[in-house]
């Protein structure tokens, strides 16, 4: 029997890949949900994911939901609230796979598995992710995925942005500022985890899964490996002084520029805000052993992941080895 | 966690699984590796983050001949990060031949092989921030790079495809402070180790006496101890405690402090390479952003044939102090001598008294080359002063392809070259000061003489030019500035026989079951290579050994520790 799977946030990076994978898996039919009419495709819906009644209607015709809603903290939280209300009004249990994030662990360092508590008092994106997970955790059939940093072809944050920064020589070997563990996870692995979570019998032991490749590289190692892959060599050493300027001076200017130019279609260089610098230095290491065991994950090695990422969007298409 | 020794409650005891003495390249690398393996580590460092005159003075000592060895408080730094706070960053591994017994090098041969150290070199390279463990042009560069001397025949006694790679140079204290502060290791700053106490049977170290310059005093008890205080200080610490023999810990057979080696280095002759198609003695930058440089290395088979030690040489600018080079940049450096740190000025500008006439000629050189000097200073400012990965050294491209030869040679182990305690002269904490009596052997002179002769022969025979030097002046040139500064090797050498070595193949002191030595003190021979990279690699090997050992005995230790705490 085909599973009908509602994919919320289907227009986003993760959502697009989840929809495509469901379409090809042979046992599911995706029902992509988009906020705006666009490439919803066959069987797709256009609705506001923060609208509980519209969601409740959509739930009536599906067997499972994957929540990939991204956006501002307010959108994330409102989306989770609406989904909670819609699910509560739904008659029977329905499998939910919710995209949480490693951000819920806040400033934790060291090895972190799913038993570690979510951090309290976080604001912004991390705070919204904690709130969303709390709102949805009560549903017995919900599975929470807490991915680290998702890279892969077209990944806006951890591949495309990094590539632009590397090509501009703005990052490279960051010294102590890049010693944090990257907790990278390839988009193909993320999608595999979603499929496994959807097919898992509800009697499974764990409901929360960290997603990160085992022995993930440090940010420095990732940057150096990726730059070599892209041919952006020699990889520069970036001084702490320069990184401080990026965070304190350049990032606010770029943010202001982005606000002024919004809608003009102009593309500014990506900023490196202090929050990003903190992440690159934060030595949190996601323990994804539960996903390895229970979702049967076979993680893509970095070299292979980089090849897939780089050949897709580098001009030269240089192979990485 | 980073703790001030002054804040440790007086007369208490800190406990740990492994206690490391010394927070330099070796101690920090060891701590990081043990931390990663989940071992409970306590690192004692005498200094603090910044240099402090009173702490540095604890290093002061005497030398038998001031011309042959710099004062013991030079070329080493008693502070967090150790001497990596001043090092030049040159990294290269030892060669397989260095580990082999050679009948023409007295006391040569290690109890371990090159292959025993090899697995640890890549991580050592990472910690030193010297990029990939790739030390030939073929492995380090995907594309061909400039030849050192174009046309150097493949059957020459010297290869030119091996590289030296350069660390930032990384100050291990600054670089890894955060990792140690965040991790479970405890780093105690301002903690000076005094007496080391053995148990009554004399086989196990029971406790260390720790003192601060401010007068605080406490003890450290650990299951295992590692001395990583550098080649000079490790010998001093061992000798300063009586041990079972009464002659110093590990010193029952009077080996501690002996076989003291540095390297033999100097700048000699004129290598005129006018006929060569091209010469490149500058740096290349590898894809991972590291400065790399080719060198002339005496091939192992030739070392065997000539029966000499290991030897490498680099093309170098002419001697700075002689204004006949007529190069503005070199004259400027010469005039700037008083502003260059002692450790670097010594070999750059030291040695010869300047007359007002040479001074004026230097000034003339400077004035006649303002554009060259401006370009040099601009490059220096951008790529040295302001850069975190620093351009490693002064490279001057001469107008004519005439160079001097900068060599760095292995020193033969010699029991009469040694460091001892100066009884009757103590530092502020009552520790006897060190006396250094560094010596070289006839074989050391032969190594340099033979290598230079074969180089001169090869260059001439290949039609690449001429190497002119005074063979009779080789010994004078190789000890012009004395022992090469900062390389303190062999004072607690590794070996199978307790009568001729201090530690075993696992770096454990023969006499003591739970005391280890990490660092260049354990090297039985000195190689052509600068010691830091290999010292770090051996520290990582020791970390692996200590972690493995922990696997089978940790439970026992925990049980004992638990009982002790209950008993309080």
């Amino acid at each position: 029997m085909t599973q009908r799977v509602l994919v919320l946030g289907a227009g986003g990076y993760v959502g697009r890949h989840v929809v495509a994978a469901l379409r090809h898996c042979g046992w599911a039919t995706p029902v992509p949900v988009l906020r705006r009419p666009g490439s919803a495709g066959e069987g797709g819906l256009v609705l506001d994911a923060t609208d509980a009644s519209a969601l409740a209607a959509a739930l009536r015709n599906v067997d499972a939901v994957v929540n990939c809603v991204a956006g501002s903290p307010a959108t994330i939280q409102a989306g989770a609230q609406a989904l909670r209300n819609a699910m509560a009004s739904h008659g029977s249990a329905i499998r939910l796979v919710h995209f949480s994030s490693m951000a819920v662990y806040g400033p934790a360092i060291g090895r972190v598995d799913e038993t570690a508590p979510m951090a309290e008092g976080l604001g912004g994106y991390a705070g919204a992710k904690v709130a969303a997970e709390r709102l949805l955790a009560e549903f017995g059939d919900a599975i929470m995925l807490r991915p680290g940093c998702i890279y892969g072809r077209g990944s806006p944050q951890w591949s495309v942005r990094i590539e632009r920064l590397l090509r501009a020589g703005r990052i490279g070997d960051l010294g102590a500022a890049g010693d944090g563990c990257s907790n990278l996870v390839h988009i193909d692995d993320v999608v595999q985890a979603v499929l496994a979570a959807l097919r898992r019998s509800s009697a499974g032991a764990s409901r929360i899964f960290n997603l990160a490749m085992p022995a993930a590289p440090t940010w420095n190692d990732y940057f150096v490996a990726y730059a070599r892959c892209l041919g952006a060599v020699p990889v520069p050493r970036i001084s702490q002084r320069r990184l401080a300027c990026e965070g304190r001076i350049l990032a606010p200017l770029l943010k202001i520029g982005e606000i002024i130019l919004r809608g003009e279609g102009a593309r500014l260089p990506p900023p490196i805000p202090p929050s990003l610098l903190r992440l690159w230095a934060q030595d949190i290491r996601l323990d994804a052993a539960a996903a390895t065991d229970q979702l049967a994950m076979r993680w893509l090695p970095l070299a292979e992941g980089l090849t897939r990422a780089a050949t897709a969007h580098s001009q030269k298409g240089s192979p990485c080895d | 966690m980073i703790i001030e020794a002054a804040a440790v409650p007086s007369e208490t005891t800190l406990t740990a699984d492994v206690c490391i003495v010394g927070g330099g390249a070796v101690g920090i690398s060891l701590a990081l590796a043990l931390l990663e393996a989940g071992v409970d580590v306590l690192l004692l460092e005498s200094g603090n983050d910044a240099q402090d005159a009173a702490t540095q003075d604890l290093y002061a000592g005497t030398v038998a001949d001031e011309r042959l060895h710099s004062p013991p408080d030079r070329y080493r730094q008693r502070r967090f990060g150790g001497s990596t706070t001043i090092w030049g960053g040159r990294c290269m591994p030892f060669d397989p031949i260095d580990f082999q017994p050679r009948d023409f090098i007295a006391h040569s041969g290690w109890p371990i092989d090159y292959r025993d150290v090899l697995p640890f070199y890549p991580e050592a390279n990472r910690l030193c921030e010297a990029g990939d463990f790739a030390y030939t042009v073929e492995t380090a560069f995907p594309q061909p790079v400039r030849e050192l001397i174009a046309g150097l025949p493949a059957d020459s006694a010297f290869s030119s495809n091996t590289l030296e790679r350069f660390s930032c140079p990384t100050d291990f204290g600054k670089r890894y402070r955060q990792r140690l502060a965040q991790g479970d290791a405890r780093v105690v700053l301002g903690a000076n180790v005094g007496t080391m106490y053995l148990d009554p049977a004399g086989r196990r170290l029971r406790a260390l006496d720790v003192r601060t310059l401010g007068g605080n005093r406490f003890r450290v008890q650990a299951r295992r101890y590692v001395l990583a205080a550098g080649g000079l200080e490790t010998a001093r610490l061992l000798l300063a405690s009586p041990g079972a023999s009464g002659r110093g810990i590990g010193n029952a057979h009077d080996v501690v402090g002996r076989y003291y080696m540095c390297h033999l280095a100097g700048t000699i002759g004129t290598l005129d390479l006018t006929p060569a198609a091209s010469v490149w003695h500058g740096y290349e930058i590898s894809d991972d952003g590291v400065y790399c440089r080719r060198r002339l290395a005496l091939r192992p088979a030739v070392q065997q044939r000539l029966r000499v030690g290991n030897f490498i040489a680099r093309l170098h600018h002419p001697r700075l102090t002689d204004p006949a080079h007529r190069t503005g940049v070199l004259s400027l450096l010469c005039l700037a001598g008083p502003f260059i740190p002692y450790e670097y000025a010594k070999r750059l500008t030291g040695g010869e008294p300047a007359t007002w006439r040479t001074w004026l000629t230097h000034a003339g050189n400077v004035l006649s080359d303002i554009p060259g000097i401006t370009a040099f200073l601009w490059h220096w400012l951008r790529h040295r002063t302001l850069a975190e990965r620093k351009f490693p050294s002064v490279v001057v491209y001469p107008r004519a392809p005439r160079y001097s030869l900068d060599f760095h040679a292995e020193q033969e182990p010699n029991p009469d070259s040694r460091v001892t305690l100066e009884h009757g002269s103590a530092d502020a904490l009552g520790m006897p000061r060190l006396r250094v009596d560094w010596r070289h052997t006839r074989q050391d002179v032969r190594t340099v003489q033979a290598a230079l002769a074969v180089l001169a022969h090869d260059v001439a025979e290949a039609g690449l030019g001429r190497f002119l030097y005074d063979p009779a002046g080789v010994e004078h040139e190789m000890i012009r500035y004395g022992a090469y500064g900062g390389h303190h090797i062999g004072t607690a050498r590794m070996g199978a026989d307790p009568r001729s070595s201090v530690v075993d193949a696992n770096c454990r002191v023969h006499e003591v079951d739970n005391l280890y030595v990490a660092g260049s003190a354990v090297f039985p021979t000195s190689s052509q290579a600068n010691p830091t990279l290999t010292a770090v690699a051996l520290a990582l090997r020791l970390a692996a050994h200590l972690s493995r050992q922990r696997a089978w005995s940790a439970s026992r230790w925990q049980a004992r520790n638990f009982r002790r705490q209950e008993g309080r």
Side-chain angles (χ1 to χ4, degrees):
Chain A
M1 195 192 95
T2 14
Q3 223 186 94
R4 285 176 59 81
V5 183
L6 193 70
V7 181
L8 303 175
Y13 176 66
V14 173
R16 282 199 311 274
H17 283 83
V18 168
V19 168
L22 288 171
R23 215 162 251 151
H24 292 110
C25 71
W27 48 264
T29 309
V31 182
V33 173
L34 291 173
R35 199 138 58 107
R36 278 182 289 271
S39 56
E42 202 184 328
L45 299 173
V46 174
L47 60 84
D48 180 357
T50 61
D51 177 350
S53 55
L55 271 179
L59 286 183
R60 272 177 221 128
N61 297 316
V62 298
D63 308 301
V65 186
V66 180
N67 182 22
C68 312
V69 169
S72 68
T75 309
I76 292 169
Q77 210 168 329
Q81 183 68 56
L83 184 58
R84 173 197 166 98
N85 294 345
M87 292 197 39
S89 67
H90 191 73
S92 55
I94 190 165
R95 167 62 52 90
L96 167 66
V97 177
H98 170 70
F99 267 90
S100 184
S101 161
M102 72 181 270
V104 300
Y105 297 118
I109 54 171
R111 179 169 295 281
V112 170
D113 67 15
E114 294 85 350
T115 61
M118 294 199 282
E120 299 292 336
L122 300 174
Y125 173 79
K129 282 296 195 187
V130 171
E133 209 179 299
R134 291 222 164 100
L135 283 166
L136 297 168
E138 69 177 59
F139 296 103
D141 225 8
I143 289 179
M144 305 292 167
L145 300 181
R146 292 175 179 167
C149 294
I150 302 174
Y151 78 114
R153 50 188 179 279
S155 160
Q157 283 196 303
W158 305 116
S159 290
V160 177
R161 171 173 61 173
I162 298 301
E163 177 181 341
R164 291 180 69 194
L165 292 170
L166 285 169
R167 288 196 189 280
R170 288 169 62 198
I171 59 172
D173 170 8
L174 310 186
D179 263 351
C181 174
S182 64
N183 297 297
L184 285 178
V185 53
H186 194 272
I187 182 67
D188 294 352
D189 284 340
V190 172
V191 167
Q192 279 308 312
V194 172
L195 297 187
L198 285 171
R199 301 208 86 185
R200 200 156 157 273
S201 76
S202 45
S206 297
R207 295 179 44 222
I208 307 174
F209 296 100
N210 289 338
L211 299 180
M213 69 170 74
T218 65
W219 286 106
N220 282 334
D221 287 344
Y222 175 49
F223 296 156
V224 172
Y226 196 15
R228 291 173 112 166
C229 202
L230 296 166
V233 292
V235 186
R237 167 71 165 226
I238 310 296
S239 69
Q240 308 303 299
R241 196 184 323 113
R242 191 159 153 201
L243 287 173
C245 288
E246 282 276 2
R248 292 195 205 120
I249 300 167
L250 196 55
L253 290 176
L254 286 169
K255 194 76 199 161
I256 292 167
E258 194 186 293
I259 292 165
I260 294 171
L261 294 175
R262 184 170 290 164
E264 300 283 320
R267 202 163 88 134
L268 283 175
I272 306 178
S275 56
L276 194 54
L277 291 172
R278 272 198 301 279
L279 178 70
W280 290 343
Q282 181 187 355
D283 197 15
I284 174 172
R285 306 186 193 184
L286 288 193
D287 182 341
T292 306
D293 294 344
Q294 297 180 40
L295 301 181
M297 294 300 299
R298 290 167 52 224
W299 308 94
L300 201 63
L302 181 67
E304 172 64 18
L306 282 178
T307 310
R308 292 190 194 177
T311 47
H313 51 82
S314 71
Q315 288 112 1
K316 279 192 247 161
S318 60
C320 311
D321 43 26
Chain B
M1 195 193 320
I2 301 204
I3 310 162
E4 289 289 332
V8 176
S10 188
E11 304 299 334
T12 55
T13 301
L14 297 180
T15 60
D17 184 351
V18 175
C19 170
I20 301 169
V21 179
V26 169
I28 288 174
S29 300
L30 186 63
L32 288 171
L34 290 173
L35 183 63
E36 203 64 31
V39 176
D40 169 35
V41 178
L42 180 74
L43 187 151
L44 302 173
E45 164 55 44
S46 161
N48 223 302
D49 290 308
Q51 193 179 3
D52 168 65
T55 306
Q56 184 66 17
D57 180 68
L58 299 170
Y59 266 166
T62 56
V63 288
D65 185 339
E66 285 180 8
R67 290 165 306 173
L68 288 183
H69 197 285
S70 49
D73 57 345
R74 293 293 194 172
Y75 290 98
R76 51 185 196 142
Q77 293 283 301
R78 198 163 168 130
R79 56 192 273 202
F80 188 50
S83 304
T84 62
T85 53
I86 58 165
W87 75 315
R90 184 176 277 127
C91 290
M92 72 198 64
F94 276 31
D95 301 312
I97 191 174
D98 295 322
F99 296 84
Q100 294 164 10
R102 292 158 284 165
D103 60 6
F104 47 91
I105 301 288
H107 313 286
S108 59
W110 292 47
I112 58 172
D113 204 33
Y114 176 69
R115 284 165 301 184
D116 294 313
V117 187
L118 186 60
F120 302 97
Y121 270 130
E123 180 61 17
N125 240 52
R126 277 170 58 89
L127 286 169
C128 291
E129 298 192 293
D132 294 340
F133 183 67
Y135 281 88
T136 60
V137 287
E138 294 80 11
T139 52
F141 295 94
Q143 73 288 351
V145 292
R146 289 166 278 203
E147 290 286 343
L148 179 64
I149 304 171
L152 188 70
D155 63 351
S156 163
F158 286 86
S159 62
S160 63
N161 69 328
T162 65
L163 296 171
E164 43 196 41
R165 304 176 71 100
F166 283 80
S167 168
C168 282
T170 301
D171 171 343
F172 276 59
K174 262 195 203 141
R175 177 65 182 81
Y176 300 114
R177 192 183 209 286
Q178 180 183 312
R179 257 202 241 176
L180 289 170
Q182 282 185 353
D184 290 329
R186 287 163 292 164
V187 175
V188 190
L189 298 179
N192 300 281
V193 171
T195 307
M196 303 190 279
Y197 298 101
L198 293 170
D199 66 8
R203 287 291 322 178
R204 291 188 69 84
L205 206 55
R206 194 162 45 88
L208 302 180
D209 183 33
V210 180
R211 278 173 294 167
T212 69
L213 280 173
N216 193 19
R217 187 166 192 163
F218 56 94
R219 284 191 167 205
V220 170
Q221 279 189 341
R223 192 160 71 93
R224 283 89 50 93
Y225 301 83
V226 184
L227 300 182
L232 295 179
E233 209 59 12
T234 293
R236 185 180 174 203
L237 282 165
L238 287 170
L239 292 171
S241 292
S245 64
R247 308 165 80 174
I249 291 178
N251 198 34
H253 300 283
D254 190 22
V255 185
V256 174
R258 290 190 182 270
Y259 303 94
Y260 174 50
M261 294 165 279
C262 302
H263 280 109
L264 296 156
T267 307
I268 193 167
T270 302
L271 186 55
D272 182 344
L273 295 168
T274 308
S278 71
V279 179
W280 178 251
H281 74 309
Y283 294 95
E284 303 283 353
I285 302 179
S286 62
D287 282 357
D288 47 6
V290 175
Y291 289 104
C292 301
R293 195 182 194 186
R294 288 181 187 257
R295 359 101 90 206
L296 293 165
L298 190 64
R299 293 178 193 275
V302 181
Q303 294 173 38
Q304 300 271 12
R305 177 164 58 79
L306 298 174
R307 301 178 63 76
V308 297
N310 212 336
F311 178 97
I312 63 103
R314 296 174 281 262
L315 303 191
H316 202 54
H317 50 67
R319 186 185 306 288
L320 241 59
T321 43
D322 180 0
H325 53 61
R326 300 182 56 192
T327 308
V329 172
L330 299 180
S331 284
L332 182 74
L333 283 168
C334 196
L335 296 176
F339 304 101
I340 299 173
Y342 169 90
E343 281 78 5
Y344 291 93
K346 190 172 176 186
R347 278 173 191 273
L348 215 49
T349 63
E352 281 161 51
T355 64
W356 66 271
R357 188 186 294 275
T358 58
W359 196 90
L360 275 182
T361 322
H362 279 304
N365 286 348
V366 170
L367 291 174
S368 65
D369 190 18
I370 297 296
I373 287 176
T374 310
F376 172 83
L377 290 178
W378 176 241
H379 180 268
W380 196 255
L381 177 73
R382 281 191 62 207
H383 296 283
R384 176 101 195 165
T385 312
L386 295 178
E388 223 163 74
R389 184 169 286 285
K390 296 186 183 298
F391 193 77
S393 69
V394 176
V395 174
V396 176
Y397 306 97
R399 294 198 190 108
R402 287 161 65 91
Y403 304 85
S404 64
L405 197 78
D406 192 27
F407 62 85
H408 197 255
E410 175 174 14
Q411 192 189 350
E412 182 178 46
N414 170 13
D416 295 331
S417 174
R418 66 186 301 202
V419 303
T420 49
L421 296 184
E422 183 102 82
H423 287 288
S425 166
D427 68 17
L429 295 169
M431 284 282 279
R433 290 195 187 272
L434 208 58
R435 176 178 173 79
V436 178
D437 184 359
W438 175 84
R439 300 181 192 189
H440 65 287
T441 65
R442 286 296 96 202
Q443 175 65 5
D444 295 335
V445 182
R446 277 200 60 232
T447 292
V448 180
Q449 278 175 334
L452 295 176
V454 75
L455 179 69
H457 172 267
D458 281 13
V459 168
E461 192 174 79
L464 296 169
R466 303 178 297 171
F467 176 45
L468 298 174
Y469 71 103
D470 172 16
V474 168
E475 182 167 8
H476 170 72
E477 210 52 67
M478 65 188 244
I479 57 169
R480 176 192 281 266
Y481 307 111
Y484 195 80
H487 300 179
H488 310 127
I489 301 169
T491 52
R493 65 200 316 254
M494 184 194 281
D497 184 351
R499 287 166 302 179
S500 58
S501 62
V502 179
V503 301
D504 67 13
N506 288 320
C507 297
R508 184 177 67 75
V509 174
H510 290 300
E511 280 174 45
V512 186
D513 292 338
N514 61 343
L515 175 62
Y516 297 79
V517 175
S520 52
V522 305
F523 299 179
T525 57
S526 56
S527 175
Q528 45 72 24
N530 295 40
T532 303
L533 182 70
T534 300
V536 170
L538 279 179
L540 299 176
R541 180 173 170 271
L542 176 58
H545 175 72
L546 294 174
S547 311
R548 267 198 309 275
Q549 208 187 35
R550 172 179 170 272
W552 55 263
S553 57
S555 50
R556 242 180 7 180
W557 162 252
Q558 275 163 3
R560 244 179 41 196
N561 215 12
F562 181 69
R563 277 201 301 277
R564 181 176 305 134
Q565 279 166 0
E566 274 195 325
R568 264 187 214 144

